[in-house]
Amino acid sequence: MIFLKKLFRRAAVSERRSGQMSIWLALGFSVFLALYLVCLESVRMQSARRQAEQAAESGLFSLFSEYEPHLLKEYSLFALDTSFRSGTENMDEICAHLWKFTELNTVDAEGKTQEGLALQGVSVKDPVRLTDGQGAVFYRQAVQVIKEETGLSLAEDWIFDEAFQQKLEDDSRSFQEDCEMYEGSVVDYEYEEGEEEMSSEAENWDGMWNRFTLQQVMDQPDAISQKEISLEQVPSHRTLSRGTGAELGTEDTVLNKQLFISYLCEYMRHAADMAEEVENDRYLDYELEYICRGNASDAQNLEETVRSILLLREGVNYGYLLTDEEAKAKAELLAVVLAAVTGNEALVKGVKHLILLGWAYGESLVEVRQLLKGQEVVLVKTKEDWQVPLSGIIALMGNPGAYDKQKTEQKGMSYESFLRLFLTIQSSETLAMRGLDIIEGQLQKNAGCERIHVDHCIERLTAQIWMDSLQMERSYRYE
């Protein structure tokens, strides 16, 4: 027992000391703790704001993913239909969709709303419509479509320096001036009128233009479209819903205008396209002709377009005949035969030019038929390119298709090239609004889209979203 006591000695009892903290240390610790809590709350609020912003962005992205699919498929345009094909704009429905999409991004995996992200309210404002600024929004998006399809959007930032862009602009402006000059290239000539009357043969040459009918230039006259629309109902004539895109303008540089015309030519039909096919589900068959002329009926738009081409080509062909000594000699010989009985030299001279004009008209008639069949014609004629002999002009009036096949294939201007010329001399606003006329009419041909209207189709929207103590305003647009 003694042994055990010696072996296992009692543990020493430690001395107790009192703990204490100075007032300065306590205050310092309190400040540090308060700063820590403030930083922690700030991080929490910033995290909540970031999550709220992501939820709002995702909600707007999801809302704009409900774009009109037919508009994208047929015309490569992005727009959200605020009427949801009902014909009546419904911003409350837009808010409901935005609420739903935003709320889905504020819940966790268990379906519970995350702290601080409970939705309190949603509103939308400042829609930018395709029709704003007389079609400026549509115009800008169409230009961007062509830039992306041609690769111009990639090149313009790093290849197109200021000097090169200026050259493109100058070239485009020169082209537009040439178009305007070409449009007015036909000159009427006046001659002294003799007292004697022309013979009936000479009158045949004098009245060719007045006897023109649309059937003379169509390979299948019965296939001429008889479609007609009500102009009072199209966007370019009716009162439209207004948005906030009017101040954008049509970015009316000459280069952009040519890009927009390229868009129209790519996505719109014309008479040469419809020559080989008939589609009953088209709003209008001659869409580019409508944009050029703006009349209610296909037939009237086509006739005015064809007459303009005839007038242009007649002037060019008449100018060539005046330089061809052999052609002038043949015309003068025929004029002498027709008017020699009068003995009036002035009348003979006048008949000679009537014959030359009639000859030029006949050649132009043949050219227009060839253009509508998808062929091309040279810009300025030569002896080798001339197709109709003087002896065949009168017979041509009764059989316009006699020279439909070119003797040698010509390269130059197509029917679409002439349409480009006519489109160029129109204002950008006219082109944009008439283009929207066609787009809206064609969209309404799709099942379920009978009540869609392009002034209800928006490209941009601003949303206000409230979440607990957070308030955000975000704008979203199609890029």
Side-chain angles (χ1 to χ4, degrees):
M1 191 67 174
I2 297 174
F3 172 78
L4 289 177
K5 284 183 179 182
K6 289 182 178 181
L7 183 64
F8 299 102
R9 295 181 179 178
R10 182 179 298 180
V13 178
S14 62
E15 298 180 1
R16 291 191 176 186
R17 297 180 181 179
S18 61
Q20 59 186 2
M21 182 174 63
S22 67
I23 297 176
W24 181 88
L25 183 62
L27 291 175
F29 182 76
S30 300
V31 171
F32 173 78
L33 183 61
L35 179 61
Y36 173 78
L37 293 176
V38 168
C39 291
L40 186 63
E41 179 65 14
S42 177
V43 169
R44 188 195 68 79
M45 290 182 64
Q46 289 300 321
S47 176
R49 175 170 288 277
R50 179 59 60 86
Q51 288 179 314
E53 290 174 349
Q54 292 176 346
E57 292 286 346
S58 298
L60 281 168
F61 181 84
S62 299
L63 175 66
F64 275 78
S65 69
E66 296 186 313
Y67 56 82
E68 174 51 50
H70 293 97
L71 196 59
L72 177 63
K73 179 180 178 181
E74 297 179 30
Y75 298 102
S76 298
L77 298 175
F78 277 104
L80 174 66
D81 179 17
T82 56
S83 72
F84 296 95
R85 300 182 180 178
S86 67
T88 302
E89 187 167 81
N90 191 344
M91 286 301 180
D92 290 338
E93 185 72 12
I94 293 288
C95 290
H97 284 225
L98 180 58
W99 181 292
K100 172 185 173 182
F101 295 136
T102 304
E103 191 173 44
L104 288 174
N105 289 279
T106 61
V107 297
D108 56 22
E110 298 178 355
K112 297 180 180 180
T113 302
Q114 300 179 51
E115 184 180 355
L117 300 183
L119 270 176
Q120 303 297 324
V122 168
S123 70
V124 294
K125 63 177 183 177
D126 300 337
V128 174
R129 307 175 189 275
L130 290 181
T131 53
D132 285 347
Q134 292 186 289
V137 178
F138 160 57
Y139 186 97
R140 187 187 64 250
Q141 195 173 144
V143 168
Q144 189 62 32
V145 168
I146 293 299
K147 285 182 177 180
E148 291 177 358
E149 289 182 354
T150 58
L152 193 59
S153 60
L154 298 176
E156 62 182 350
D157 292 334
W158 54 281
I159 294 181
F160 286 4
D161 59 15
E162 185 176 349
F164 187 56
Q165 286 200 18
Q166 185 62 43
K167 183 179 184 302
L168 281 178
E169 187 72 17
D170 292 342
D171 291 344
S172 298
R173 185 177 293 106
S174 176
F175 174 73
Q176 181 161 347
E177 291 172 355
D178 290 343
C179 290
E180 293 171 354
M181 291 175 62
Y182 191 42
E183 173 75 4
S185 63
V186 179
V187 178
D188 294 327
Y189 295 91
E190 296 182 1
Y191 299 95
E192 296 180 3
E193 296 183 359
E195 295 180 359
E196 295 83 356
E197 295 183 357
M198 292 185 293
S199 65
S200 59
E201 290 84 359
E203 290 177 351
N204 285 334
W205 293 90
D206 185 38
M208 286 184 180
W209 177 265
N210 294 329
R211 292 194 298 271
F212 169 79
T213 62
L214 188 57
Q215 286 73 16
Q216 288 179 309
V217 296
M218 298 298 290
D219 190 39
Q220 299 178 355
D222 294 338
I224 297 175
S225 172
Q226 301 302 317
K227 292 178 180 177
E228 188 168 347
I229 62 175
S230 173
L231 291 179
E232 291 75 15
Q233 302 300 321
V234 299
S236 61
H237 287 72
R238 71 171 187 258
T239 301
L240 300 171
S241 303
R242 299 181 62 182
T244 59
E247 74 281 357
L248 298 175
T250 51
E251 303 179 32
D252 197 16
T253 64
V254 180
L255 177 58
N256 276 350
K257 186 174 183 180
Q258 292 305 314
L259 292 174
F260 183 71
I261 290 174
S262 296
Y263 174 87
L264 294 177
C265 290
E266 180 175 344
Y267 288 91
M268 306 291 177
R269 304 291 188 90
H270 53 70
D273 292 331
M274 306 303 292
E276 302 297 330
E277 57 180 324
V278 177
E279 296 186 20
N280 295 324
D281 61 343
R282 302 298 299 179
Y283 178 61
L284 286 175
D285 285 342
Y286 313 141
E287 297 172 340
L288 283 179
E289 288 83 349
Y290 169 80
I291 297 175
C292 289
R293 299 298 167 180
N295 298 308
S297 72
D298 263 341
Q300 186 177 359
N301 289 322
L302 179 59
E303 180 169 353
E304 289 186 6
T305 302
V306 166
R307 281 185 177 272
S308 296
I309 298 175
L310 269 176
L311 191 63
L312 291 174
R313 292 306 300 171
E314 184 180 1
V316 172
N317 291 333
Y318 177 64
Y320 162 72
L321 289 175
L322 291 178
T323 65
D324 190 321
E325 296 300 329
E326 183 180 349
K328 287 195 294 183
K330 291 180 180 180
E332 187 172 0
L333 179 60
L334 181 58
V336 170
V337 172
L338 296 176
V341 293
T342 66
N344 189 322
E345 293 185 4
L347 184 60
V348 172
K349 186 177 180 180
V351 171
K352 169 189 170 182
H353 283 279
L354 282 178
I355 292 171
L356 290 174
L357 283 169
W359 196 357
Y361 170 80
E363 180 76 10
S364 303
L365 193 68
V366 169
E367 289 177 332
V368 172
R369 287 183 61 89
Q370 293 170 348
L371 289 170
L372 288 170
K373 291 172 72 67
Q375 302 177 54
E376 297 182 2
V377 297
V378 294
L379 182 59
V380 180
K381 287 285 188 177
T382 63
K383 188 182 294 291
E384 291 74 22
D385 298 320
W386 199 267
Q387 303 175 88
V388 184
L390 182 59
S391 58
I393 292 296
I394 300 299
L396 179 67
M397 299 301 104
N399 182 22
Y403 298 92
D404 281 356
K405 187 176 181 180
Q406 295 177 344
K407 293 186 298 183
T408 57
E409 184 180 1
Q410 299 182 19
K411 293 294 183 180
M413 295 188 70
S414 64
Y415 181 73
E416 186 174 297
S417 299
F418 284 97
L419 291 179
R420 277 181 170 271
L421 186 153
F422 300 141
L423 292 169
T424 298
I425 59 179
Q426 297 285 349
S427 69
S428 300
E429 292 79 10
T430 298
L431 295 178
M433 290 308 298
R434 288 180 182 172
L436 287 171
D437 293 347
I438 295 296
I439 290 175
E440 179 178 282
Q442 191 57 40
L443 285 178
Q444 292 176 350
K445 288 291 183 179
N446 294 298
C449 299
E450 294 81 2
R451 297 183 178 181
I452 195 171
H453 296 88
V454 289
D455 54 325
H456 289 161
C457 295
I458 62 173
E459 182 199 56
R460 178 178 176 175
L461 193 67
T462 298
Q464 293 178 312
I465 301 175
W466 292 268
M467 294 182 182
D468 289 340
S469 60
L470 300 175
Q471 178 180 351
M472 295 170 293
E473 182 172 301
R474 291 290 182 273
S475 293
Y476 194 91
R477 62 172 293 183
Y478 292 111
E479 297 287 350

